[in-house]
Amino acid sequence: VHNGGLYKRPFNEAFEETPMLVAVLTYVGYGVLTLFGYLRDFMRQWKIEKCQNATEREEQKDFVPLYQDFENFYNRNLYMRIRDSWNRPICSVPGAKVDMMERVSHDYNWTFTYTGRVIKDIINMGSYNYLGFAQKVGACQEAAAKVLSQYGAGVCSSRQEMGNLDKHEELEKLVARFLELKGVTCLAVKHNLFNVFLFPLLIQGCLILSDELNHASLVLGARLSGATIRIFKHNNMQSLEKLLKDAIVHGQPRTRRPWKKILILVEGIYSMEGSIVRLPEVIALKKKYKSYLYLDEAHSIGALGPSGRGVVEYFGLNPEDVDVMMGTFTKSFGAAGGYIGGKKELIDYLRTYSHSAVYATSMSPPVVEQIITSVKCIMGEDGTTVGRARVQQLAENTRYFRRRLKEMGFIIYGNEDSPVVPLMLYMPAKIGAFGREMLKRNIGVVVVGFPATPIIESRARFCLSAAHTKEMLDTV
C-alpha cells in the first residue's frame, strides 16, 4: 500500500488462507494414506502382497541408498494411487484441443497398457501455449517447413565452431528489438542449460537473494554457482529489504568483508501460484541498495503487456533497469530454446565464458524460424494485426475465466491478469478424482500436489491460451 505510487495500474492478487477445517481434514487424509502405506509395506515384506517397486539386491545393502526412505515410501503408497493423472500421452499438436491415447492399468497404476483407442478433441488446459502458436497450419508452420528444406533439421555443432547461422544472428537482433533493449544484444541458446548462465556471473563471495517460490532451474543454477543464497518471502518487499540491509551492514560471514555482488533473483509470473512479481518495488530496492537484478520471464514474455513484451511492459518500466533478462521460446512462441538479454558487455562475456554458449549445440534452424515468424507476428512486422489480437484475446480469456470460477465459489490463487490459474483442491483424494473426472468430460488439466506444493495446498492448474474460444472456457 505504501508503495502504491510506483504502480501505474491496479495490482490485485489473492491468496486465500486454507480454512482450518479443510486443513485438518487434509492432514487426516494424508495420515490415513500413510498408515495404510505402512500396512501395505508390512504385507509386502512378508510376501502377503506382491512387491512391484524397485528394490536393491541383498549384496548392495551396504551401498549408499539410491532414494531417501520417505521419497520411496511416498512414491510407492501415495503417488502410485494417482499416477494415472500425469504423463498422459498425446498424439497431436498441443493446441487448444488435443488427441490423447487411451491407456488402462490392471495393477493399480504400476504399469499401463494402451487400448488402441484415441480420445479426440480434449480441451487442452495444461499447455503453456499462451498465444496459440503451437499449431500445425499457418504462417509459422509454412516458414519453418521452408527453412527445414533449406538448412536441414540440425546444425550438429556449437555456435563457436561451425554452428553459427545467419538465422541465429537475425533472431538475436529481432528479440533485442522486441524487448526494446537499446544498445543491448541477446544470446539465444537451448533453454535447458540456462541455470549454468549463473556460473560465470557469480563466484564465491557473491550473494543471491532468491524468492522462495523461484523455479527449480533457478534454484539449481544458484546452488551450482558457488554463491551464498538467502531466501526472502514470496513477493514480500519488507523481507527482501531486510535481507539487503543485513547484507550491506554485516557483509560476508566471519570476515565481514563487503559482498562482491548482490543479485536479486525473481520470476515474472510464478507458474505454480499464478502471481506476478512486484517489479516496480523490486527495481526501487535494487537501485536504493545498488544491487543487481536477474528476471526470469519464462511465463510472462508474450503473455503480459499491451503488446506482449512481458512483465516490464506490463508495469510500464524501463527494460534497462533490469540487469539480466532471461526468457524462453518454449511457451508463448510455440518453439524451443530461450534468450538472455542485457548490456552488450555482459552478453559478450557470456558468449566467451558460459558453458551453454561454448559447448551447447546450436538451436535447430526450423525452430529458429518458428520463433522469428511468431515474434514478427506479435510485433506486427508481418503486415497483419493477428499478433496484437492474440495478446488481447489472451488477456480477455484470463479475466473472463478467473471471474467465472470465482463466481462459482472456487478458491483461486494469483493475480487477476495471470494466465496461470491455480484452483485449490487441498485434499489428496481430490487430486486424482479431479483429473479423472475432467478427462471423462474431455478436458485435460494439470493437477499438482505435495511435494510440488505445500502439503495442504494441492491444486489444479489451468493455463489459458489465446486459442481458447469463449465456448471452450464455458465448457470447462
Side-chain angles (χ1 to χ4, degrees):
V1 174
H2 65 281
N3 287 323
L6 295 174
Y7 294 87
K8 299 175 183 177
R9 54 182 298 150
F11 188 81
N12 300 317
E13 287 194 350
F15 296 96
E16 186 174 328
E17 192 174 346
T18 307
M20 180 59 72
L21 177 61
V22 174
V24 170
L25 291 174
T26 302
Y27 279 121
V28 169
Y30 275 105
V32 170
L33 282 170
T34 303
L35 285 174
F36 272 91
Y38 280 116
L39 175 63
R40 295 186 69 182
D41 275 356
F42 175 80
M43 294 169 69
R44 292 183 187 116
Q45 187 177 354
W46 290 96
K47 312 298 185 204
I48 300 171
E49 181 183 325
K50 183 181 179 182
C51 181
Q52 302 199 62
N53 59 289
T55 55
E56 294 172 346
R57 297 193 299 272
E58 194 64 37
E59 58 267 28
Q60 295 176 320
K61 292 295 182 184
D62 295 332
F63 290 10
V64 176
L66 290 175
Y67 303 101
Q68 295 178 4
D69 285 344
F70 182 73
E71 274 183 28
N72 222 352
F73 175 85
Y74 186 89
N75 283 337
R76 281 195 307 271
N77 300 302
L78 283 79
Y79 168 71
M80 202 60 65
R81 289 171 175 263
I82 53 177
R83 185 178 167 218
D84 57 306
S85 299
W86 292 280
N87 306 318
R88 291 169 173 161
I90 66 170
C91 50
S92 69
V93 173
K97 290 187 175 182
V98 295
D99 298 338
M100 189 177 294
M101 297 170 67
E102 186 180 60
R103 59 180 184 172
V104 294
S105 177
H106 303 291
D107 53 6
Y108 304 101
N109 295 339
W110 284 97
T111 60
F112 294 97
T113 56
Y114 295 105
T115 64
R117 176 173 169 260
V118 174
I119 310 171
K120 291 193 172 290
D121 293 332
I122 295 172
I123 299 175
N124 180 13
M125 300 300 293
S127 294
Y128 304 131
N129 183 25
Y130 296 128
L131 294 181
F133 282 113
Q135 54 190 16
K136 59 183 179 181
V137 293
C140 292
Q141 181 268 343
E142 292 169 5
K146 184 177 178 181
V147 168
L148 176 62
S149 63
Q150 181 181 353
Y151 289 85
V155 184
C156 308
S157 176
S158 68
R159 288 190 64 184
Q160 290 200 6
E161 294 174 346
M162 296 290 289
N164 193 42
L165 303 177
D166 55 343
K167 288 292 176 184
H168 295 125
E169 304 279 351
E170 180 185 352
L171 173 62
E172 291 183 349
K173 292 173 183 175
L174 179 65
V175 172
R177 276 198 293 115
F178 177 61
L179 297 174
E180 296 182 335
L181 297 171
K182 297 176 183 176
V184 176
T185 185
C186 288
L187 179 59
V189 293
K190 284 186 172 181
H191 173 246
N192 61 345
L193 296 169
F194 266 135
N195 50 37
V196 297
F197 268 108
L198 287 170
F199 285 177
L201 293 177
L202 299 164
I203 56 174
Q204 197 169 6
C206 296
L207 175 66
I208 296 174
L209 301 180
S210 176
D211 190 291
E212 65 179 346
L213 296 182
N214 276 340
H215 190 266
S217 63
L218 287 177
V219 174
L220 176 62
R223 287 175 177 171
L224 293 175
S225 70
T228 302
I229 306 168
R230 289 179 186 161
I231 311 298
F232 64 91
K233 294 177 183 177
H234 174 58
N235 253 354
N236 188 316
M237 295 305 109
Q238 288 77 25
S239 174
L240 175 58
E241 186 166 18
K242 184 179 184 304
L243 288 178
L244 283 166
K245 285 180 178 177
D246 290 346
I248 291 168
V249 170
H250 299 296
Q252 298 183 40
R254 294 189 299 275
T255 64
R256 301 302 177 194
R257 290 175 181 167
W259 294 100
K260 294 175 182 176
K261 289 194 194 91
I262 299 176
L263 180 75
I264 302 170
L265 200 57
V266 294
E267 293 187 52
I269 292 178
Y270 291 84
S271 60
M272 203 58 74
E273 306 297 317
S275 65
I276 297 174
V277 65
R278 294 179 175 273
L279 194 59
E281 296 177 68
V282 174
I283 288 178
L285 288 175
K286 169 223 157 184
K287 290 179 177 178
K288 181 178 179 181
Y289 294 99
K290 294 180 173 56
S291 53
Y292 297 89
L293 176 59
Y294 186 108
L295 175 63
D296 178 350
E297 287 219 83
H299 290 269
S300 54
I301 190 67
L304 287 180
S307 53
R309 287 182 166 87
V311 69
V312 177
E313 185 191 39
Y314 174 79
F315 287 113
L317 302 170
N318 185 353
E320 294 183 17
D321 286 337
V322 180
D323 299 288
V324 188
M325 297 178 72
M326 187 273 274
T328 75
F329 302 126
T330 60
K331 298 173 173 64
S332 294
F333 307 98
Y339 64 86
I340 288 276
K343 292 182 178 178
K344 188 175 185 304
E345 294 82 3
L346 169 71
I347 301 303
D348 289 343
Y349 180 80
L350 289 175
R351 286 185 197 280
T352 308
Y353 293 101
S354 169
H355 295 71
S356 294
V358 176
Y359 298 113
T361 304
S362 300
M363 291 173 65
S364 172
V367 173
V368 172
E369 186 62 24
Q370 160 81 19
I371 303 163
I372 290 172
T373 311
S374 58
V375 172
K376 285 182 176 178
C377 180
I378 297 168
M379 296 173 71
E381 292 187 4
D382 62 342
T384 70
T385 58
V386 172
R388 181 62 67 94
R390 291 189 187 217
V391 174
Q392 292 173 352
Q393 186 63 53
L394 175 63
E396 290 173 16
N397 286 352
T398 297
R399 286 181 174 265
Y400 175 72
F401 192 69
R402 281 181 170 272
R403 187 181 74 248
R404 286 292 307 277
L405 287 182
K406 288 177 182 176
E407 288 170 357
M408 293 171 70
F410 290 107
I411 297 176
I412 305 300
Y413 272 13
N415 193 287
E416 62 181 15
D417 291 325
S418 168
V420 179
V421 185
L423 182 151
M424 305 310 293
L425 301 175
Y426 298 112
M427 299 176 196
K430 286 186 179 179
I431 301 173
F434 189 88
R436 291 168 190 145
E437 290 299 318
M438 292 293 274
L439 186 58
K440 285 179 185 176
R441 291 156 176 80
N442 267 32
I443 300 166
V445 300
V446 173
V447 285
V448 192
F450 180 82
T453 67
I455 198 164
I456 59 170
E457 292 184 9
S458 300
R459 65 198 66 179
R461 185 183 62 176
F462 298 95
C463 295
L464 295 171
S465 169
H468 289 140
T469 63
K470 186 173 180 291
E471 291 73 25
M472 289 181 190
L473 299 183
D474 287 338
T475 302
V476 176

